[in-house]
Amino acid sequence: MFQRVLVANRGEIALRVIRACRDMNIGVVCVYSTADKGAPWLSLADQAVCIGTGPAADSYLKIPRIIAAAEKTGADAIHPGYGFLSENSSFAEQCRESRIEFIGPPHEAMRKLGNKNEAKIIARAAKVPLVPGSEGLITSEEEALKVARQYGYPVLIKAAAGGGGRGMRVARDDASLLTGYVSAKQEAEAAFKDGSVFIEKYLEQPRHIEVQLLGDQHGNVIHLYERDCSLQRRHQKLVEESPAPNLPPKVRDEICKSAVRLAKTAGYYSAGTCEFLLDKQNNFYFIEVNSRIQVEHPVTELVTGVDLVREQIRIAAGEKLKYRQSDIVQKGSAIEVRINAEDPEANFQPSPGRITQWYSPGGPGVRVDTHARTGYVVPPNYDSLVAKLLVHQPTREESIRVMRRALNEFVVEGIKTTIPIHKRIFNTAAFVDGVVDTTFIERVFYSPGNESPK
Ligand code: MV4
Protein backbone atom coordinates (compact mmCIF):
# COMPACT_ATOMS: atom_id res chain seq x y z
CA MET A 1 0.00 0.00 0.00
CA PHE A 2 1.05 3.61 -0.52
CA GLN A 3 2.93 5.52 2.18
CA ARG A 4 1.74 8.97 1.17
CA VAL A 5 -0.90 10.22 -1.29
CA LEU A 6 -0.85 13.68 -2.84
CA VAL A 7 -4.27 15.23 -3.40
CA ALA A 8 -4.29 17.23 -6.65
CA ASN A 9 -7.61 18.91 -5.93
CA ARG A 10 -9.45 21.20 -3.52
CA GLY A 11 -12.71 21.65 -1.64
CA GLU A 12 -15.01 18.82 -0.62
CA ILE A 13 -13.33 16.19 -2.81
CA ALA A 14 -9.90 17.01 -1.36
CA LEU A 15 -11.45 16.48 2.08
CA ARG A 16 -13.09 13.24 0.89
CA VAL A 17 -9.70 11.87 -0.26
CA ILE A 18 -7.99 13.04 2.98
CA ARG A 19 -10.62 11.11 4.95
CA ALA A 20 -10.08 7.95 2.88
CA CYS A 21 -6.33 8.20 3.45
CA ARG A 22 -6.79 8.66 7.21
CA ASP A 23 -9.12 5.64 7.31
CA MET A 24 -6.44 3.61 5.51
CA ASN A 25 -3.55 4.94 7.64
CA ILE A 26 -1.91 6.57 4.60
CA GLY A 27 -0.12 9.92 4.86
CA VAL A 28 -1.56 12.78 2.84
CA VAL A 29 -0.14 15.86 1.13
CA CYS A 30 -2.29 18.60 -0.36
CA VAL A 31 -1.36 21.09 -3.02
CA TYR A 32 -3.15 24.43 -2.96
CA SER A 33 -3.37 27.78 -4.69
CA THR A 34 -2.99 31.15 -2.98
CA ALA A 35 -6.80 31.52 -3.26
CA ASP A 36 -7.09 28.46 -0.96
CA LYS A 37 -4.38 29.51 1.52
CA GLY A 38 -5.57 28.67 5.03
CA ALA A 39 -8.54 26.66 3.70
CA PRO A 40 -10.02 24.27 6.28
CA TRP A 41 -9.21 20.94 4.58
CA LEU A 42 -5.49 21.82 4.38
CA SER A 43 -5.11 21.65 8.15
CA LEU A 44 -6.25 18.00 8.02
CA ALA A 45 -3.40 17.03 5.68
CA ASP A 46 0.09 16.16 6.94
CA GLN A 47 1.60 18.73 4.61
CA ALA A 48 0.40 21.40 2.20
CA VAL A 49 2.40 22.75 -0.74
CA CYS A 50 1.50 26.01 -2.51
CA ILE A 51 1.66 25.51 -6.29
CA GLY A 52 0.54 28.87 -7.67
CA THR A 53 -2.08 31.57 -7.79
CA GLY A 54 -5.89 31.49 -7.84
CA PRO A 55 -6.56 30.82 -11.53
CA ALA A 56 -6.60 27.03 -11.99
CA ALA A 57 -4.37 27.37 -15.06
CA ASP A 58 -1.60 28.61 -12.71
CA SER A 59 -2.04 25.98 -9.98
CA TYR A 60 -4.42 22.99 -10.04
CA LEU A 61 -3.76 22.51 -13.77
CA LYS A 62 0.05 22.89 -13.62
CA ILE A 63 1.28 19.34 -14.16
CA PRO A 64 5.03 19.93 -13.56
CA ARG A 65 4.38 21.74 -10.26
CA ILE A 66 2.10 18.98 -8.98
CA ILE A 67 4.59 16.24 -9.89
CA ALA A 68 7.42 18.31 -8.33
CA ALA A 69 5.36 18.67 -5.12
CA ALA A 70 4.86 14.88 -5.03
CA GLU A 71 8.58 14.26 -5.53
CA LYS A 72 9.58 16.83 -2.91
CA THR A 73 7.24 15.40 -0.28
CA GLY A 74 7.87 11.74 -1.10
CA ALA A 75 4.30 11.02 -2.20
CA ASP A 76 4.06 7.70 -4.03
CA ALA A 77 0.62 8.29 -5.56
CA ILE A 78 -1.57 11.19 -6.74
CA HIS A 79 -5.35 11.35 -6.40
CA PRO A 80 -6.77 13.77 -9.00
CA GLY A 81 -10.33 14.04 -7.61
CA TYR A 82 -12.81 15.26 -10.26
CA GLY A 83 -12.49 18.17 -12.68
CA PHE A 84 -9.04 19.78 -13.11
CA LEU A 85 -6.58 17.08 -14.33
CA SER A 86 -8.70 14.08 -13.42
CA GLU A 87 -9.45 13.05 -17.03
CA ASN A 88 -6.18 14.24 -18.53
CA SER A 89 -4.54 11.07 -19.85
CA SER A 90 -1.26 12.88 -20.40
CA PHE A 91 -1.17 13.78 -16.68
CA ALA A 92 -1.80 10.13 -15.79
CA GLU A 93 1.01 9.08 -18.11
CA GLN A 94 3.45 11.69 -16.75
CA CYS A 95 2.71 10.65 -13.17
CA ARG A 96 3.57 7.04 -13.95
CA GLU A 97 6.66 8.04 -15.96
CA SER A 98 7.79 9.83 -12.77
CA ARG A 99 7.20 6.57 -10.85
CA ILE A 100 4.22 8.09 -9.03
CA GLU A 101 1.03 6.05 -9.21
CA PHE A 102 -1.95 7.89 -10.72
CA ILE A 103 -5.05 6.89 -8.75
CA GLY A 104 -7.26 6.34 -11.76
CA PRO A 105 -7.56 4.28 -14.94
CA PRO A 106 -4.71 3.28 -17.28
CA HIS A 107 -3.85 6.29 -19.44
CA GLU A 108 -4.42 4.33 -22.67
CA ALA A 109 -8.05 3.58 -21.75
CA MET A 110 -8.52 7.17 -20.54
CA ARG A 111 -7.26 8.58 -23.83
CA LYS A 112 -9.47 6.31 -25.95
CA LEU A 113 -12.62 6.75 -23.86
CA GLY A 114 -12.08 10.52 -23.62
CA ASN A 115 -12.94 10.67 -27.29
CA LYS A 116 -16.68 10.02 -27.67
CA ASN A 117 -16.27 8.59 -31.15
CA GLU A 118 -13.59 6.13 -29.96
CA ALA A 119 -15.74 5.28 -26.93
CA LYS A 120 -18.62 4.41 -29.27
CA ILE A 121 -16.34 2.15 -31.33
CA ILE A 122 -15.46 0.26 -28.12
CA ALA A 123 -19.14 0.15 -27.11
CA ARG A 124 -20.08 -1.26 -30.52
CA ALA A 125 -17.44 -3.96 -30.15
CA ALA A 126 -18.86 -4.77 -26.70
CA LYS A 127 -22.38 -5.07 -28.15
CA VAL A 128 -23.61 -2.14 -26.07
CA PRO A 129 -26.61 -0.30 -27.58
CA LEU A 130 -25.80 3.05 -29.23
CA VAL A 131 -28.02 5.92 -30.31
CA PRO A 132 -28.77 5.42 -34.03
CA GLY A 133 -26.48 7.65 -36.07
CA SER A 134 -23.33 7.96 -38.14
CA GLU A 135 -20.92 5.00 -38.09
CA GLY A 136 -18.06 7.35 -37.26
CA LEU A 137 -16.93 10.92 -37.87
CA ILE A 138 -18.63 13.17 -40.42
CA THR A 139 -16.16 14.76 -42.81
CA SER A 140 -18.30 16.84 -45.18
CA GLU A 141 -21.55 18.80 -45.39
CA GLU A 142 -22.82 16.32 -47.98
CA GLU A 143 -22.20 13.40 -45.62
CA ALA A 144 -23.90 15.29 -42.77
CA LEU A 145 -27.00 15.83 -44.91
CA LYS A 146 -27.04 12.21 -46.06
CA VAL A 147 -26.84 10.84 -42.48
CA ALA A 148 -29.44 13.30 -41.15
CA ARG A 149 -31.91 12.40 -43.88
CA GLN A 150 -31.22 8.71 -43.39
CA TYR A 151 -32.09 8.76 -39.67
CA GLY A 152 -34.62 11.59 -39.93
CA TYR A 153 -34.80 14.91 -38.07
CA PRO A 154 -34.27 15.91 -35.37
CA VAL A 155 -30.60 14.94 -35.13
CA LEU A 156 -27.81 16.00 -32.81
CA ILE A 157 -24.35 16.99 -34.02
CA LYS A 158 -21.79 16.14 -31.34
CA ALA A 159 -18.11 16.95 -31.00
CA ALA A 160 -16.02 13.80 -30.44
CA ALA A 161 -13.83 15.74 -27.98
CA GLY A 162 -16.86 17.46 -26.43
CA GLY A 163 -17.99 17.67 -22.85
CA GLY A 164 -20.54 19.51 -20.79
CA GLY A 165 -22.70 20.11 -23.84
CA ARG A 166 -20.02 22.06 -25.72
CA GLY A 167 -19.80 21.44 -29.43
CA MET A 168 -23.37 20.10 -29.56
CA ARG A 169 -26.09 21.32 -31.97
CA VAL A 170 -29.65 20.12 -32.50
CA ALA A 171 -30.79 20.19 -36.12
CA ARG A 172 -34.46 19.98 -37.11
CA ASP A 173 -34.07 20.57 -40.87
CA ASP A 174 -31.45 20.74 -43.64
CA ALA A 175 -30.77 24.45 -43.06
CA SER A 176 -30.10 24.14 -39.31
CA LEU A 177 -28.07 21.01 -39.98
CA LEU A 178 -25.63 22.85 -42.26
CA THR A 179 -25.22 25.84 -39.92
CA GLY A 180 -25.03 23.50 -36.90
CA TYR A 181 -22.40 21.31 -38.57
CA VAL A 182 -20.15 24.31 -39.21
CA SER A 183 -20.65 25.96 -35.81
CA ALA A 184 -20.26 22.69 -33.82
CA LYS A 185 -16.96 22.04 -35.61
CA GLN A 186 -15.76 25.61 -34.97
CA GLU A 187 -16.74 25.50 -31.30
CA ALA A 188 -15.02 22.13 -30.81
CA GLU A 189 -11.89 23.26 -32.66
CA ALA A 190 -11.67 26.38 -30.46
CA ALA A 191 -12.44 24.59 -27.18
CA PHE A 192 -10.64 21.25 -27.67
CA LYS A 193 -8.34 21.82 -30.68
CA ASP A 194 -10.29 18.98 -32.29
CA GLY A 195 -13.16 19.84 -34.62
CA SER A 196 -14.27 16.26 -35.34
CA VAL A 197 -18.02 15.62 -35.05
CA PHE A 198 -20.51 12.78 -35.46
CA ILE A 199 -24.28 12.72 -35.78
CA GLU A 200 -26.93 10.95 -33.71
CA LYS A 201 -30.70 10.80 -33.79
CA TYR A 202 -31.82 13.42 -31.25
CA LEU A 203 -33.73 11.85 -28.36
CA GLU A 204 -36.37 14.21 -26.93
CA GLN A 205 -36.57 14.44 -23.15
CA PRO A 206 -34.35 11.47 -22.33
CA ARG A 207 -33.43 10.38 -18.82
CA HIS A 208 -29.77 10.29 -17.85
CA ILE A 209 -28.80 7.00 -16.22
CA GLU A 210 -25.21 6.21 -15.30
CA VAL A 211 -23.64 3.01 -14.01
CA GLN A 212 -20.90 3.05 -11.37
CA LEU A 213 -18.05 0.66 -12.12
CA LEU A 214 -15.03 -0.65 -10.27
CA GLY A 215 -12.32 -2.63 -11.99
CA ASP A 216 -8.97 -3.88 -10.72
CA GLN A 217 -5.65 -4.40 -12.47
CA HIS A 218 -6.28 -8.16 -12.60
CA GLY A 219 -9.15 -8.00 -15.10
CA ASN A 220 -12.06 -8.01 -12.64
CA VAL A 221 -14.86 -5.50 -13.27
CA ILE A 222 -18.05 -5.09 -11.27
CA HIS A 223 -20.91 -2.59 -11.38
CA LEU A 224 -22.41 -0.90 -8.34
CA TYR A 225 -25.78 -0.27 -9.96
CA GLU A 226 -27.07 2.94 -11.45
CA ARG A 227 -27.73 6.56 -10.58
CA ASP A 228 -30.41 8.71 -12.15
CA CYS A 229 -28.89 12.13 -12.84
CA SER A 230 -31.69 13.52 -14.99
CA LEU A 231 -32.25 16.56 -12.82
CA GLN A 232 -29.82 19.08 -14.21
CA ARG A 233 -29.76 22.59 -15.57
CA ARG A 234 -27.49 23.52 -18.46
CA HIS A 235 -25.42 20.37 -17.95
CA GLN A 236 -24.95 21.09 -14.23
CA LYS A 237 -26.45 18.29 -12.20
CA LEU A 238 -28.68 19.34 -9.30
CA VAL A 239 -30.06 16.06 -7.92
CA GLU A 240 -28.77 12.48 -8.22
CA GLU A 241 -30.31 9.31 -6.87
CA SER A 242 -30.12 5.55 -6.73
CA PRO A 243 -31.99 3.41 -7.63
CA ALA A 244 -33.33 5.23 -10.69
CA PRO A 245 -37.08 5.57 -10.01
CA ASN A 246 -39.54 3.60 -12.17
CA LEU A 247 -36.80 1.63 -13.91
CA PRO A 248 -37.93 -1.91 -14.76
CA PRO A 249 -35.56 -4.44 -13.09
CA LYS A 250 -34.81 -6.12 -16.43
CA VAL A 251 -33.73 -2.80 -17.97
CA ARG A 252 -31.54 -2.02 -14.92
CA ASP A 253 -29.92 -5.42 -15.22
CA GLU A 254 -29.23 -4.96 -18.96
CA ILE A 255 -27.78 -1.44 -18.53
CA CYS A 256 -25.47 -2.56 -15.72
CA LYS A 257 -24.27 -5.62 -17.64
CA SER A 258 -23.64 -3.48 -20.73
CA ALA A 259 -21.48 -1.11 -18.69
CA VAL A 260 -19.36 -3.98 -17.36
CA ARG A 261 -18.87 -5.39 -20.89
CA LEU A 262 -17.77 -1.99 -22.12
CA ALA A 263 -15.23 -1.52 -19.31
CA LYS A 264 -13.80 -5.00 -19.88
CA THR A 265 -13.51 -4.38 -23.62
CA ALA A 266 -11.72 -1.07 -22.95
CA GLY A 267 -9.20 -2.65 -20.55
CA TYR A 268 -10.46 -0.29 -17.86
CA TYR A 269 -9.63 -0.33 -14.16
CA SER A 270 -10.23 1.98 -11.16
CA ALA A 271 -13.59 3.68 -10.54
CA GLY A 272 -15.51 4.90 -13.56
CA THR A 273 -18.97 5.60 -14.88
CA CYS A 274 -20.80 4.61 -18.05
CA GLU A 275 -23.44 7.15 -19.08
CA PHE A 276 -26.62 6.17 -20.89
CA LEU A 277 -29.69 7.94 -22.19
CA LEU A 278 -33.04 6.29 -21.60
CA ASP A 279 -35.97 7.08 -23.89
CA LYS A 280 -39.69 7.07 -23.08
CA GLN A 281 -39.93 3.38 -24.06
CA ASN A 282 -37.07 2.52 -21.66
CA ASN A 283 -34.66 1.81 -24.50
CA PHE A 284 -31.15 2.65 -23.32
CA TYR A 285 -28.23 3.96 -25.34
CA PHE A 286 -24.60 4.38 -24.32
CA ILE A 287 -23.29 7.95 -24.72
CA GLU A 288 -19.96 8.31 -22.87
CA VAL A 289 -17.62 7.17 -20.11
CA ASN A 290 -16.43 9.30 -17.20
CA SER A 291 -12.99 8.03 -16.26
CA ARG A 292 -12.85 9.60 -12.80
CA ILE A 293 -14.54 9.51 -9.42
CA GLN A 294 -17.65 11.66 -9.78
CA VAL A 295 -19.20 14.33 -7.59
CA GLU A 296 -22.23 12.08 -6.98
CA HIS A 297 -20.27 8.93 -5.98
CA PRO A 298 -21.61 9.05 -2.37
CA VAL A 299 -25.10 8.17 -3.65
CA THR A 300 -23.69 4.79 -4.65
CA GLU A 301 -21.68 4.52 -1.43
CA LEU A 302 -24.91 4.85 0.55
CA VAL A 303 -26.91 2.22 -1.35
CA THR A 304 -24.06 -0.31 -1.65
CA GLY A 305 -22.01 0.36 1.49
CA VAL A 306 -18.81 0.40 -0.60
CA ASP A 307 -16.23 3.14 0.06
CA LEU A 308 -15.44 4.03 -3.55
CA VAL A 309 -12.44 6.26 -2.82
CA ARG A 310 -10.86 3.60 -0.64
CA GLU A 311 -11.40 1.05 -3.42
CA GLN A 312 -9.83 3.44 -5.95
CA ILE A 313 -6.73 3.69 -3.77
CA ARG A 314 -6.54 -0.09 -3.18
CA ILE A 315 -6.91 -0.75 -6.92
CA ALA A 316 -4.19 1.78 -7.81
CA ALA A 317 -1.87 -0.02 -5.37
CA GLY A 318 -2.44 -3.21 -7.38
CA GLU A 319 -4.75 -4.97 -4.93
CA LYS A 320 -7.57 -7.20 -6.11
CA LEU A 321 -11.21 -6.10 -5.86
CA LYS A 322 -12.54 -6.87 -2.41
CA TYR A 323 -16.03 -7.55 -3.80
CA ARG A 324 -17.56 -9.99 -6.25
CA GLN A 325 -20.61 -8.89 -8.23
CA SER A 326 -22.84 -11.02 -6.00
CA ASP A 327 -21.61 -9.10 -2.92
CA ILE A 328 -23.06 -5.85 -4.26
CA VAL A 329 -26.66 -5.13 -3.30
CA GLN A 330 -28.61 -1.93 -3.87
CA LYS A 331 -30.10 -1.32 -0.45
CA GLY A 332 -32.78 1.33 0.06
CA SER A 333 -32.88 4.72 -1.64
CA ALA A 334 -30.25 7.45 -1.61
CA ILE A 335 -30.60 10.98 -2.95
CA GLU A 336 -28.02 13.76 -3.24
CA VAL A 337 -28.60 17.46 -3.79
CA ARG A 338 -25.80 19.81 -4.74
CA ILE A 339 -25.58 22.93 -2.62
CA ASN A 340 -23.84 25.49 -4.83
CA ALA A 341 -22.82 29.05 -4.03
CA GLU A 342 -25.14 30.36 -6.73
CA ASP A 343 -28.21 32.55 -6.87
CA PRO A 344 -31.14 30.59 -8.36
CA GLU A 345 -33.08 33.84 -8.59
CA ALA A 346 -30.38 35.48 -10.70
CA ASN A 347 -29.84 32.85 -13.41
CA PHE A 348 -27.66 30.76 -11.06
CA GLN A 349 -24.87 33.31 -11.18
CA PRO A 350 -21.98 32.50 -8.83
CA SER A 351 -22.29 33.88 -5.31
CA PRO A 352 -18.83 33.69 -3.74
CA GLY A 353 -17.93 35.40 -0.47
CA ARG A 354 -17.87 34.94 3.29
CA ILE A 355 -20.25 32.47 4.90
CA THR A 356 -21.41 34.36 7.97
CA GLN A 357 -23.53 31.52 9.34
CA TRP A 358 -23.38 27.79 8.56
CA TYR A 359 -25.43 25.11 10.24
CA SER A 360 -25.55 21.81 8.38
CA PRO A 361 -28.20 19.17 9.00
CA GLY A 362 -27.66 15.79 10.63
CA GLY A 363 -29.62 13.07 12.30
CA PRO A 364 -30.68 9.64 11.03
CA GLY A 365 -30.02 8.94 7.37
CA VAL A 366 -28.24 12.22 6.60
CA ARG A 367 -24.72 12.69 5.18
CA VAL A 368 -23.17 16.05 4.37
CA ASP A 369 -19.91 16.18 2.42
CA THR A 370 -18.54 19.69 2.68
CA HIS A 371 -15.41 21.75 3.29
CA ALA A 372 -17.46 24.79 4.30
CA ARG A 373 -18.18 26.19 7.76
CA THR A 374 -19.03 29.53 9.40
CA GLY A 375 -16.38 32.07 8.42
CA TYR A 376 -15.22 30.19 5.31
CA VAL A 377 -14.79 32.43 2.29
CA VAL A 378 -15.90 30.83 -0.99
CA PRO A 379 -13.29 31.98 -3.54
CA PRO A 380 -14.56 33.19 -6.92
CA ASN A 381 -12.04 31.11 -8.90
CA TYR A 382 -13.53 27.62 -8.85
CA ASP A 383 -16.60 25.44 -9.16
CA SER A 384 -19.37 26.74 -6.90
CA LEU A 385 -20.10 23.45 -5.08
CA VAL A 386 -20.02 24.09 -1.30
CA ALA A 387 -21.77 20.97 0.01
CA LYS A 388 -23.41 17.73 -1.01
CA LEU A 389 -26.41 16.84 1.10
CA LEU A 390 -27.36 13.17 0.96
CA VAL A 391 -30.05 11.06 2.53
CA HIS A 392 -30.39 7.28 2.75
CA GLN A 393 -33.64 5.58 3.69
CA PRO A 394 -35.38 2.25 3.05
CA THR A 395 -37.71 3.76 0.43
CA ARG A 396 -37.68 6.75 -1.94
CA GLU A 397 -40.73 8.22 -0.19
CA GLU A 398 -38.83 8.25 3.10
CA SER A 399 -35.72 9.68 1.44
CA ILE A 400 -37.80 12.55 0.08
CA ARG A 401 -39.29 13.25 3.52
CA VAL A 402 -35.89 13.20 5.21
CA MET A 403 -34.44 15.42 2.46
CA ARG A 404 -37.21 18.01 3.04
CA ARG A 405 -36.44 17.94 6.76
CA ALA A 406 -32.67 18.25 6.18
CA LEU A 407 -33.11 21.12 3.70
CA ASN A 408 -35.19 22.94 6.29
CA GLU A 409 -32.46 22.46 8.91
CA PHE A 410 -29.74 23.81 6.61
CA VAL A 411 -28.75 27.40 7.45
CA VAL A 412 -26.34 29.24 5.14
CA GLU A 413 -25.99 33.00 5.45
CA GLY A 414 -23.73 35.49 3.69
CA ILE A 415 -23.88 33.77 0.28
CA LYS A 416 -26.77 32.67 -1.95
CA THR A 417 -27.19 28.92 -2.45
CA THR A 418 -29.27 26.43 -4.40
CA ILE A 419 -31.10 25.32 -1.22
CA PRO A 420 -34.34 27.18 -2.17
CA ILE A 421 -34.61 25.46 -5.55
CA HIS A 422 -34.10 22.07 -3.92
CA LYS A 423 -36.96 22.84 -1.52
CA ARG A 424 -39.14 23.51 -4.57
CA ILE A 425 -38.01 20.36 -6.40
CA PHE A 426 -38.78 18.15 -3.39
CA ASN A 427 -42.29 19.61 -3.26
CA THR A 428 -43.01 19.15 -6.99
CA ALA A 429 -45.41 16.31 -7.83
CA ALA A 430 -43.55 15.10 -10.95
CA PHE A 431 -40.32 14.72 -8.98
CA VAL A 432 -42.03 13.02 -6.05
CA ASP A 433 -43.63 10.60 -8.54
CA GLY A 434 -40.21 9.89 -10.08
CA VAL A 435 -41.31 11.21 -13.46
CA VAL A 436 -38.17 13.10 -14.40
CA ASP A 437 -36.08 13.71 -17.49
CA THR A 438 -33.19 15.97 -18.47
CA THR A 439 -35.52 18.84 -19.46
CA PHE A 440 -37.45 18.86 -16.17
CA ILE A 441 -35.79 21.87 -14.50
CA GLU A 442 -36.07 24.09 -17.58
CA ARG A 443 -39.65 22.96 -18.32
CA VAL A 444 -40.99 23.14 -14.79
CA PHE A 445 -39.11 26.06 -13.28
CA TYR A 446 -37.58 28.17 -16.02
CA SER A 447 -39.13 28.89 -19.39
CA PRO A 448 -36.63 29.14 -22.29
CA GLY A 449 -35.23 32.60 -22.86
CA ASN A 450 -36.74 33.77 -19.64
CA GLU A 451 -34.26 33.56 -16.81
CA SER A 452 -36.67 34.43 -14.02
CA PRO A 453 -38.54 31.69 -12.15
CA LYS A 454 -42.08 31.02 -13.35
C1 MV4 B 1 -27.99 13.48 -26.35
C2 MV4 B 1 -29.28 13.98 -26.06
C3 MV4 B 1 -30.30 13.61 -26.91
N1 MV4 B 1 -30.06 12.77 -27.95
N2 MV4 B 1 -27.81 12.66 -27.39
C4 MV4 B 1 -25.66 16.24 -23.27
C5 MV4 B 1 -24.19 16.27 -22.97
C6 MV4 B 1 -23.65 14.94 -23.32
N3 MV4 B 1 -23.27 14.28 -22.11
C7 MV4 B 1 -24.74 14.21 -24.03
N4 MV4 B 1 -25.92 15.02 -23.95
C8 MV4 B 1 -27.07 14.69 -24.58
N5 MV4 B 1 -26.93 13.82 -25.60
C9 MV4 B 1 -28.83 12.33 -28.17
N6 MV4 B 1 -28.61 11.52 -29.22
C10 MV4 B 1 -29.44 14.84 -24.99
C11 MV4 B 1 -28.34 15.21 -24.24
C12 MV4 B 1 -28.59 16.07 -23.14
C13 MV4 B 1 -28.37 15.65 -21.83
C14 MV4 B 1 -27.85 14.40 -21.54
C15 MV4 B 1 -27.63 14.01 -20.24
C16 MV4 B 1 -27.94 14.86 -19.21
C17 MV4 B 1 -28.44 16.09 -19.48
C18 MV4 B 1 -28.66 16.52 -20.77
C19 MV4 B 1 -29.17 17.78 -21.02
C20 MV4 B 1 -29.39 18.18 -22.30
C21 MV4 B 1 -29.08 17.35 -23.37
Side-chain angles (χ1 to χ4, degrees):
M1 186 42 68
F2 305 122
Q3 295 278 303
R4 198 170 291 126
V5 166
L6 181 140
V7 185
N9 215 299
R10 63 175 304 283
E12 73 84 21
I13 194 64
L15 179 53
R16 175 71 187 83
V17 177
I18 292 169
R19 285 171 170 158
C21 291
R22 288 279 170 251
D23 292 344
M24 299 174 80
N25 200 26
I26 298 170
V28 52
V29 181
C30 279
V31 292
Y32 68 97
S33 76
T34 52
D36 284 331
K37 188 172 161 41
W41 67 89
L42 297 174
S43 58
L44 293 173
D46 298 308
Q47 292 174 77
V49 181
C50 185
I51 52 163
T53 59
D58 187 57
S59 46
Y60 297 108
L61 293 174
K62 279 269 188 234
I63 295 175
R65 290 188 203 163
I66 293 167
I67 290 180
E71 286 172 337
K72 194 182 83 174
T73 57
D76 42 9
I78 295 182
H79 197 300
Y82 51 67
F84 297 126
L85 296 170
S86 61
E87 296 194 82
N88 185 319
S89 59
S90 165
F91 177 55
E93 192 174 1
Q94 288 176 59
C95 288
R96 290 178 180 140
E97 276 171 1
S98 306
R99 309 180 127 273
I100 298 163
E101 197 47 57
F102 175 79
I103 302 175
H107 61 84
E108 298 92 343
M110 276 174 90
R111 180 167 291 125
K112 269 207 188 121
L113 294 169
N115 182 296
K116 291 171 179 46
N117 184 55
E118 297 283 334
K120 287 182 77 168
I121 292 170
I122 295 170
R124 197 174 284 121
K127 302 206 185 317
V128 172
L130 298 171
V131 190
S134 57
E135 272 285 318
L137 300 175
I138 298 284
T139 53
S140 70
E141 298 187 11
E142 295 72 39
E143 192 185 1
L145 278 173
K146 196 182 127 222
V147 170
R149 288 174 180 158
Q150 179 186 346
Y151 292 98
Y153 291 106
V155 297
L156 191 58
I157 306 153
K158 287 185 176 181
R166 276 194 301 180
M168 237 172 58
R169 293 289 185 282
V170 181
R172 296 188 181 275
D173 51 43
D174 286 357
S176 61
L177 180 88
L178 292 175
T179 55
Y181 174 71
V182 172
S183 66
K185 275 186 96 64
Q186 281 172 350
E187 190 175 312
E189 184 65 49
F192 317 111
K193 299 191 183 78
D194 176 0
S196 53
V197 297
F198 55 88
I199 291 179
E200 288 178 352
K201 179 82 189 160
Y202 179 61
L203 307 175
E204 311 261 12
Q205 305 187 358
R207 288 171 71 181
H208 173 135
I209 308 284
E210 58 186 33
V211 177
Q212 178 67 55
L213 297 167
L214 278 179
D216 65 21
Q217 299 192 42
H218 309 275
N220 304 299
V221 180
I222 60 169
H223 71 77
L224 294 96
Y225 293 98
E226 84 287 3
R227 295 182 290 256
D228 187 320
C229 305
S230 298
L231 250 68
Q232 54 80 49
R233 181 189 168 274
R234 305 203 169 161
H235 306 292
Q236 296 300 313
K237 293 170 184 167
L238 284 165
V239 179
E240 301 102 343
E241 63 178 303
S242 185
N246 304 319
L247 186 68
K250 208 170 123 60
V251 179
R252 166 176 299 114
D253 190 56
E254 284 299 317
I255 295 183
C256 292
K257 283 181 176 154
S258 292
V260 170
R261 280 203 307 278
L262 199 160
K264 284 188 173 166
T265 305
Y268 196 91
Y269 60 74
S270 188
T273 304
C274 258
E275 292 190 9
F276 297 88
L277 297 180
L278 190 75
D279 70 15
K280 290 269 185 283
Q281 291 76 44
N282 284 326
N283 297 305
F284 66 90
Y285 310 93
F286 165 77
I287 50 169
E288 55 194 77
V289 171
N290 294 311
S291 53
R292 60 170 189 277
I293 193 80
Q294 286 184 278
V295 173
E296 59 270 30
H297 76 274
V299 170
T300 298
E301 294 188 322
L302 290 175
V303 293
T304 63
V306 174
D307 182 329
L308 291 170
V309 179
R310 183 190 297 187
E311 289 310 304
Q312 261 192 313
I313 295 170
R314 290 183 63 255
I315 290 162
E319 294 184 18
K320 283 193 174 162
L321 273 184
K322 202 165 67 180
Y323 304 91
R324 284 169 305 194
Q325 189 61 64
S326 57
D327 297 329
I328 307 297
V329 284
Q330 203 177 22
K331 183 165 172 267
S333 145
I335 313 182
E336 169 176 282
V337 301
R338 298 192 188 190
I339 316 289
N340 294 333
E342 292 170 0
D343 185 356
E345 287 190 22
N347 195 27
F348 292 80
Q349 76 178 359
S351 178
R354 181 176 300 275
I355 298 170
T356 55
Q357 200 65 246
W358 178 276
Y359 178 85
S360 63
V366 175
R367 168 172 167 181
V368 180
D369 278 18
T370 184
H371 57 293
R373 53 162 97 158
T374 298
Y376 176 66
V377 180
V378 179
N381 311 72
Y382 312 108
D383 186 272
S384 62
L385 186 76
V386 288
K388 304 187 300 204
L389 167 58
L390 295 111
V391 297
H392 184 213
Q393 290 290 298
T395 66
R396 188 170 187 269
E397 290 66 37
E398 290 162 292
S399 281
I400 289 170
R401 277 210 300 274
V402 173
M403 183 63 86
R404 287 189 193 127
R405 182 263 290 174
L407 285 166
N408 277 316
E409 283 181 31
F410 222 133
V411 177
V412 184
E413 286 170 16
I415 59 167
K416 301 279 190 188
T417 74
T418 46
I419 291 172
I421 192 164
H422 290 308
K423 289 180 178 170
R424 291 178 64 196
I425 292 168
F426 280 76
N427 282 300
T428 300
F431 174 77
V432 172
D433 295 341
V435 184
V436 291
D437 64 66
T438 51
T439 66
F440 177 90
I441 297 291
E442 269 100 350
R443 276 188 302 110
V444 179
F445 291 139
Y446 302 91
S447 35
N450 173 7
E451 309 304 351
S452 59
K454 265 187 200 164

